[in-house]
Amino acid sequence: MDIKDIQNLIRFVSKAEVAEVSIKQDDIEIKIKTLASVPAQVASQQFYVPQAPVAQAAAPQAPAAAPANNSTTPSEEENSNLITVKSPMIGTFYRSAGPGKEPFVGVGDSIAPGKVLCIVEAMKLFNEIESEVSGKIVKILVDDASPVEYDQPLFLVDPA
């Protein structure tokens, strides 16, 4: 089983909303667990709970609620022009080629297509993740040596 087969399996499992898959072939063992439905339920419950108090106290707090909405709108507008670089696989995120070495990129660095941004280790294979866009790194969204999921945002890039 090669990395492409594993990536296809991960995509299939995420679309099928399966709770757990375990595969053994010769000396390779793969376990995939997904809890995609649990965060959605939690988010909807958390979203519903705050709405009830706001509806009950809408009249006295209406002026206070309006500035809060205005303060979040500009940040959303600022982020709307940013490009999100996402992880192409499940693994462990590394900012540099090894311990004590310089990170591939940092906040404020200019990047071009083909520039290595990070490494994602999957099944003892170190996969260099290259940029597909040019721009400037605005934010690094993952800590070094942290586990990452498929399609998880890693970097925010300003294409300007």
Side-chain angles (χ1 to χ4, degrees):
M1 184 173 261
D2 65 4
I3 192 72
K4 293 291 182 188
D5 293 335
I6 295 169
Q7 289 175 338
N8 289 334
L9 177 64
I10 292 167
R11 285 186 197 103
F12 175 75
V13 168
S14 66
K15 289 178 184 174
E17 296 182 10
V18 176
E20 183 174 337
V21 173
S22 180
I23 298 174
K24 272 190 177 182
Q25 285 185 346
D26 302 326
D27 61 339
I28 297 175
E29 182 176 347
I30 300 172
K31 290 184 181 180
I32 302 172
K33 297 179 182 180
T34 178
L35 301 174
S37 61
V38 174
Q41 292 172 353
V42 171
S44 66
Q45 290 172 354
Q46 291 175 347
F47 182 72
Y48 177 76
V49 173
Q51 284 183 341
V54 172
Q56 293 171 354
Q61 293 185 3
N69 289 338
N70 290 340
S71 66
T72 58
T73 304
S75 67
E76 290 173 2
E77 290 173 1
E78 291 171 5
N79 289 338
S80 67
N81 67 337
L82 299 179
I83 297 171
T84 303
V85 176
K86 297 179 180 181
S87 177
M89 64 189 72
I90 293 174
T92 304
F93 172 86
Y94 294 105
R95 291 190 56 203
S96 63
K101 295 189 177 182
E102 289 292 317
F104 292 110
V105 294
V107 174
D109 289 353
S110 294
I111 59 170
K115 171 133 174 91
V116 176
L117 301 176
C118 64
I119 292 176
V120 175
E121 177 193 3
M123 295 183 58
K124 306 280 184 192
L125 295 174
F126 293 88
N127 303 284
E128 291 183 343
I129 308 304
E130 296 179 352
S131 174
E132 296 178 0
V133 298
S134 55
K136 183 189 261 187
I137 301 287
V138 174
K139 189 169 186 179
I140 301 171
L141 303 171
V142 181
D143 293 329
D144 193 35
S146 296
V148 293
E149 295 292 325
Y150 171 74
D151 219 25
Q152 177 178 343
L154 303 175
F155 300 94
L156 290 179
V157 178
D158 184 4

